[in-house]
Amino acid sequence: MRYADVAVDITAKALDRPFQYGIPAELENEVEEGVVVEAPFGNGNRIIRGYVLSVTDSPRIAADKIKNITAVVTRLSDEEQRLTALAVWIRDRYGSSLAAALRTVLPARKKTAARQKRVVCLAVPRDEAERELDVMRSHHQSARVRLMEALIQEERLPYEVCTGKLHVTAAVIRALVQKQLIRIERTRVFRNPAPDEAFSHRSVELNEEQRRAADCILKAMESKPDCRFLIQGVTGSGKTEVYMELIAHVVDKGKQAIVLIPEIALTYQTLMRFYHRFDGRVSVIHSRMSAGEKQDQFDRAAQGDLDVMIGPRSALFTPFPNLGIIVIDEEHEESYRSEQSPRYHAREVAFRRGTLEGACVVLGSATPSMEASYAARNGGIGMIRLDKRAGDSVLPETRIVDLRGGTLASGSLILSGELQDAMRSALDRREQIMLFLNRRGYSGSVICSSCGHAMRCPHCDVSLTLHRDGKLVCHYCGYTEDMPGKCPECGSGYLRTFRFGTEQVESTVKQMFPDARVLRLDRDTASGKDGELKVLSAFAGHEADILIGTQMIVKGHDFPDVTLMGILMADLSLNVPDYRAGERTFQLLTQAAGRAGRSGTGGLVMIQTYMPEHYAVKCAAAQDYDAFYEQEMEFRRDSGYPPSGSLTAVHMSCPDKEHLDLAGNYVRKFLQRVIRDAPVAILGPTDEPVARIADVWRTALYLKGGDGAYLRRIRGWLEKYIEINEGFSNIEITYETTI
Ligand code: ADP
Ligand code: ZN
Ligand code: ZN
């Protein structure tokens, strides 16, 4: 007898592991990896469906307790089979439920998904229709007459035309269908998000640097189709042109490409470049699409109607028949990490999919993530640099404005005198200005506005957060201290949290520059359909002189006439309680700086900061990635954070705080028991940065240590422990694994 491990696709968490079923002799030849089977389940032996993950000769439990598969339903398509294998890997790598992993890679098909086009057709020969028409006329059935007259002329009419222009009700149409005089045909139309208007686009010839980059990767692909590369190229160096060149080669070989782009950075221009280059055999998915709309695009991909899929994280699971390349643009972006279980990272999953399907993976960024850079420097991925801007634009001049010593105290609380002067002269020259308020994370951190000292945890080297009860708390280890009355560094009484927003910046700017036209882009003004696009195109069309905004204004958009970029509070993002704070800050500042002076006139970037000496600020101002990498890596090595060491987070949530705290302590005790004297640190349990959301309390534990494989093994033991303990049944647990 042979046995099959079947993934039962039921949502109940306890049922999540694969179940073993016997394969009856008559199905022996049909049951293999990837087929969908039916089998009895539970006490009632209700028939359920599941995927066969693997087939073995050895039963895991007593053979007489194993039920048999009752039927084979269908095979998964080859694409689906490969994606199922990817789901199994995701489950093992990130510790989610198998059902959640399967849902991630094979999104559930919604019944109502397809939008159908209905056409009303004449179902009888014309002469017969004429006779019926006469009868209708004699009965004064004017609606029926209108419809029949029109159909005798046209034979086929869109349903909407009948109900619209002809004013025929659905009831009348139904009546004629019943009399079999007409019928309704349904054709499924794929919703194509591509604009079909004509567009013109000049094609470019790769410059020498780009040519070399493309050739290097193409050559590697010949001997190793699943090779991996990181293209580190300054903004505007023409990475997108290189991607398109690589994709063109892949498509020529009859293979397909996936291009991941952080949604916020996908511009209309970029999209048009792809449409032009690949004859429209390109599709895009984005988060505002319904599940059905996404499914349509995935179906087109599976049917071979597409060569290129562009989209955010989830586009990674496009079921292409013969995937040749995965490009991840702006690979350092946070949006590539899923916030829900499974908490996967698109870069890692792309590598895995590349290996499974023999596809090349190309990462691109001006400011690569520490993980990608580390891998590029220590083997595993090839590294290519593009150091020149492709067009005629030059990098802007950068100036750091030191806010310490009460620079802001006089006059404006937001704009330094230097920045105000620069704004005035830009306005005089009729040039455009962008003001970027760095408000990443949230504003609980405490900084001395006299000397710039930030309150940090002595054990974890991340910022402490001020709680409502006046205590400073570390969100990694739970360390707590009283909020001091004076700055421990300089003794001044100016310790404060920063809680101002873009609206305050806007009103200050309007007061100071009453004649300037000001636009603001943040979550509020960007809401609604195309809200963000409206603001950005208004600014691009010179309907305003100054654009004030959050992260949204620094990503991907080109404004050639912006000559001044003011970064208002560069260090706010240094003080979020996250070991990646320095990396995020460097990336944001570098990106923001890249926004100014793109048209060849040069430009000025002013970085206002309380921490002018911090290497993230200094290196961003100097646009020096390598210097930043070296210093940041030193910090990661010293403190054991990824990519130097591995980190596993156990996120737990529950509406009952007491119960959650108890469970957290049990987890800690369990981990202490299994880890004993292995070099792994257990941090927490401690409140998450946002300790309660919608009345559900949230806490986390962290495992920090050198060896990723070992941490994953520990996580496996923890999963089993949690599974067999009733006490955890009403606690939601997700794992997050880095390296
Ligand atoms: P990146 O993706 O690195 O930011 P892009 O590929 O978007 O850079 O290129 C930036 C700009 O330079 C685009 O307007 C692009 O059309 C132009 N460009 C890129 N490569 C070339 C080239 N070889 N010749 C002329 N213009 C180029
Ligand atoms: Zn101080
Ligand atoms: Zn700490």
Side-chain angles (χ1 to χ4, degrees), residues 457 459-460 474 477:
C457 173
H459 310 293
C460 305
C474 170
C477 72

Side-chain angles (χ1 to χ4, degrees), residues 447-454 486-495:
I447 308 173
C448 167
S449 56
S450 180
C451 77
H453 177 74
K486 282 193 232 146
C487 170
E489 199 63 31
C490 74
S492 87
Y494 297 119
L495 282 180

Side-chain angles (χ1 to χ4, degrees), residues 219-408:
K219 190 153 175 287
M221 283 168 77
E222 269 168 32
S223 52
K224 192 174 177 336
D226 59 342
C227 57
R228 302 167 178 180
F229 279 92
L230 167 64
I231 302 180
Q232 180 178 337
V234 298
T235 338
S237 58
K239 294 185 288 297
T240 310
E241 295 297 333
V242 176
Y243 306 151
M244 290 197 291
E245 182 71 12
L246 299 173
I247 293 169
H249 275 78
V250 164
V251 169
D252 272 351
K253 293 215 171 83
K255 298 185 177 188
Q256 300 87 37
I258 293 172
V259 181
L260 301 188
I261 291 190
E263 186 144 307
I264 199 163
L266 179 62
T267 61
Y268 186 74
Q269 292 101 308
T270 309
L271 205 56
M272 284 302 118
R273 282 158 77 184
F274 276 94
Y275 277 115
H276 177 74
R277 181 79 181 253
F278 299 102
D279 280 342
R281 287 176 58 83
V282 174
S283 182
V284 183
I285 59 172
H286 54 77
S287 64
R288 290 181 308 276
M289 284 167 94
S290 68
E293 287 170 317
K294 276 188 200 166
Q295 192 57 54
D296 278 0
Q297 300 313 316
F298 278 11
D299 287 350
R300 291 178 72 202
Q303 286 167 20
D305 291 345
L306 295 174
D307 293 328
V308 183
M309 176 64 88
I310 305 176
R313 204 170 60 218
S314 58
L316 188 51
F317 305 110
T318 307
F320 275 128
N322 194 2
L323 185 64
I325 188 171
I326 303 172
V327 172
I328 306 185
D329 192 31
E330 311 280 355
E331 66 80 30
H332 62 275
E333 279 288 326
E334 269 167 288
S335 60
Y336 288 129
R337 185 183 291 283
S338 164
E339 296 275 302
Q340 293 154 2
S341 182
R343 293 181 178 238
Y344 68 93
H345 195 294
R347 186 193 321 115
E348 296 166 346
V349 177
F351 283 161
R352 185 65 198 171
R353 189 164 180 199
T355 303
L356 284 171
E357 305 193 22
C360 165
V361 179
V362 175
L363 312 175
S365 174
T367 51
S369 63
M370 293 303 287
E371 284 86 0
S373 262
Y374 185 79
R377 282 165 172 80
N378 295 279
I381 16 185
M383 166 88 138
I384 290 174
R385 299 180 82 121
L386 299 176
D387 291 325
K388 290 197 283 286
R389 278 191 168 181
D392 52 0
S393 68
V394 285
L395 287 170
E397 178 198 339
T398 323
R399 224 178 281 163
I400 294 179
V401 181
D402 189 348
L403 292 182
R404 291 175 304 183
T407 312
L408 292 184

Side-chain angles (χ1 to χ4, degrees), residues 317-572:
F317 305 110
T318 307
F320 275 128
N322 194 2
L323 185 64
I325 188 171
I326 303 172
V327 172
I328 306 185
D329 192 31
E330 311 280 355
E331 66 80 30
H332 62 275
E333 279 288 326
E334 269 167 288
S335 60
Y336 288 129
R337 185 183 291 283
S338 164
E339 296 275 302
Q340 293 154 2
S341 182
R343 293 181 178 238
Y344 68 93
H345 195 294
R347 186 193 321 115
E348 296 166 346
V349 177
F351 283 161
R352 185 65 198 171
R353 189 164 180 199
T355 303
L356 284 171
E357 305 193 22
C360 165
V361 179
V362 175
L363 312 175
S365 174
T367 51
S369 63
M370 293 303 287
E371 284 86 0
S373 262
Y374 185 79
R377 282 165 172 80
N378 295 279
I381 16 185
M383 166 88 138
I384 290 174
R385 299 180 82 121
L386 299 176
D387 291 325
K388 290 197 283 286
R389 278 191 168 181
D392 52 0
S393 68
V394 285
L395 287 170
E397 178 198 339
T398 323
R399 224 178 281 163
I400 294 179
V401 181
D402 189 348
L403 292 182
R404 291 175 304 183
T407 312
L408 292 184
S410 57
S412 160
L413 275 174
I414 296 159
L415 306 175
S416 65
E418 272 179 272
L419 181 54
Q420 289 174 40
D421 292 345
M423 287 173 70
R424 203 157 282 128
S425 46
L427 289 172
D428 286 345
R429 292 193 305 267
R430 312 213 138 273
E431 292 166 354
Q432 287 187 302
I433 300 168
M434 282 166 102
L435 295 180
F436 164 46
L437 179 62
N438 186 355
R439 268 186 59 85
R440 260 201 55 73
Y442 57 95
S443 46
S445 58
V446 175
I447 308 173
C448 167
S449 56
S450 180
C451 77
H453 177 74
M455 303 296 292
R456 298 177 85 79
C457 173
H459 310 293
C460 305
D461 214 5
V462 298
S463 289
L464 295 171
T465 301
L466 182 63
H467 279 212
R468 227 165 264 150
D469 59 7
K471 296 248 194 290
L472 291 169
V473 180
C474 170
H475 282 294
Y476 277 70
C477 72
Y479 168 86
T480 304
E481 65 179 53
D482 287 329
M483 168 86 170
K486 282 193 232 146
C487 170
E489 199 63 31
C490 74
S492 87
Y494 297 119
L495 282 180
R496 51 184 265 209
T497 58
F498 290 86
R499 293 190 197 277
F500 61 83
T502 41
E503 262 170 275
Q504 270 157 292
V505 178
E506 184 184 19
S507 64
T508 305
V509 168
K510 279 181 168 163
Q511 262 170 19
M512 287 187 164
F513 303 98
D515 297 329
R517 295 162 305 162
V518 180
L519 277 172
R520 174 162 66 90
L521 182 62
D522 54 26
R523 284 234 174 83
D524 297 334
T525 61
S527 63
K529 200 173 182 317
D530 303 328
E532 183 183 348
L533 202 64
K534 272 188 203 132
V535 176
L536 291 171
S537 50
F539 188 61
H542 281 257
E543 286 171 42
D545 308 302
I546 303 175
L547 176 63
I548 298 165
T550 49
Q551 304 5 294
M552 284 180 194
I553 67 170
V554 304
K555 316 234 163 160
H557 307 282
D558 269 349
F559 300 103
D561 299 324
V562 171
T563 57
L564 175 63
M565 165 62 93
I567 299 169
L568 299 184
M569 194 64 76
D571 29 296
L572 273 191

Side-chain angles (χ1 to χ4, degrees), residues 4-165:
D5 274 329
V6 176
V8 178
D9 195 13
I10 324 183
T11 34
K13 218 166 139 200
L15 305 177
D16 187 63
R17 71 207 126 77
F19 282 80
Q20 206 168 41
Y21 284 96
I23 304 172
E26 67 274 17
L27 296 177
E28 182 94 30
N29 294 327
E30 285 178 74
V31 175
E32 55 182 6
E33 228 177 280
V35 298
V36 179
V37 294
E38 283 184 347
F41 189 81
N43 291 335
N45 282 335
R46 161 171 77 91
I47 296 293
I48 48 92
R49 289 187 175 196
Y51 308 98
V52 175
L53 297 175
S54 60
V55 176
T56 71
D57 289 324
S58 45
R60 263 178 302 157
I61 54 171
D64 59 335
K65 289 228 174 78
I66 296 182
K67 299 173 190 174
N68 278 359
I69 289 171
T70 45
V72 171
V73 184
T74 46
R75 279 197 67 84
L76 289 177
S77 68
D78 287 354
E79 295 87 65
E80 286 171 328
Q81 243 181 84
R82 286 194 294 265
L83 287 169
T84 307
L86 193 62
V88 173
W89 180 84
I90 287 175
R91 186 244 164 281
D92 291 341
R93 175 74 175 73
Y94 299 101
S96 76
S97 69
L98 187 63
L102 283 167
R103 273 196 302 276
T104 301
V105 303
L106 301 169
R109 285 164 185 276
K110 297 243 158 54
K111 279 285 175 294
T112 54
R115 198 216 295 160
Q116 289 180 328
K117 191 169 168 175
R118 285 180 297 177
V119 180
V120 180
C121 316
L122 204 56
V124 293
R126 274 220 171 83
D127 49 350
E128 192 184 332
E130 300 269 9
R131 282 196 297 279
E132 290 293 333
L133 182 60
D134 285 340
V135 179
M136 291 170 188
R137 283 201 182 108
S138 65
H139 287 93
H140 304 288
Q141 295 167 317
S142 56
R144 294 185 185 203
V145 169
R146 277 201 304 280
L147 182 59
M148 287 306 280
E149 276 175 347
L151 280 175
I152 287 168
Q153 264 190 355
E154 296 285 335
E155 257 184 79
R156 297 166 63 84
L157 286 170
Y159 192 90
E160 291 73 28
V161 170
C162 302
T163 53
K165 214 168 129 214

